[in-house]
Amino acid sequence: MADVEASTNRGVMIVLAYLWPLALVPLLLEKRDPEVQWHAKHGLVLMVAELILIVGYVVVTSIVSMATLGLGCVLSLLLVFGWIGILALHVVAILKGVGGSRLILPGLSHYADRF
């Protein structure tokens, strides 16, 4: 296993891994560090899942808003709490990654191992 070596700037790369499209930086630059690679892939999987959820939520909110004005506005306000949840998830993932462990999300994290 002479190929496998820990990155000298592993902490910075793990932080970048969970900052949406910046996950491409550690994915492309740190090819020899499997832990950084996993976090970069996990960050990209999270990004795609969050984008799908956000687009779906906006579509549902738009449809409800067209049907009833009041309820659509209330649902739009709930999106702020969704963003806070996403931010909290990324902070926890960064803290666990920098600490040397992984945040495993059931039903989602196994996709990081697939590519």
Side-chain angles (χ1 to χ4, degrees):
M1 271 196 158
D3 278 9
V4 180
E5 60 187 49
S7 171
T8 56
N9 50 356
R10 178 181 270 185
V12 173
M13 291 298 166
I14 289 175
V15 170
L16 288 176
Y18 291 104
L19 298 178
W20 281 39
L22 292 178
L24 292 173
V25 173
L27 186 68
L28 298 174
L29 293 181
E30 297 293 338
K31 297 223 182 256
R32 294 182 146 206
D33 190 338
E35 193 66 19
V36 170
Q37 284 288 301
W38 186 89
H39 285 287
K41 292 173 185 177
H42 193 248
L44 289 172
V45 167
L46 279 176
M47 179 184 72
V48 169
E50 291 161 357
L51 286 173
I52 290 170
L53 284 173
I54 289 169
V55 168
Y57 187 81
V58 168
V59 167
V60 168
T61 301
S62 299
I63 292 170
V64 170
S65 183
M66 284 190 273
T68 61
L69 289 176
L71 187 57
C73 293
V74 171
L75 288 177
S76 295
L77 290 174
L78 291 177
L79 188 59
V80 173
F81 296 110
W83 279 111
I84 292 170
I86 288 172
L87 178 64
L89 179 69
H90 283 259
V91 168
V92 170
I94 288 170
L95 290 175
K96 286 186 79 82
V98 170
S101 61
R102 296 177 174 181
L103 175 67
I104 303 296
L105 300 170
L108 194 62
S109 293
H110 70 278
Y111 288 109
D113 297 323
R114 289 191 174 189
F115 68 96

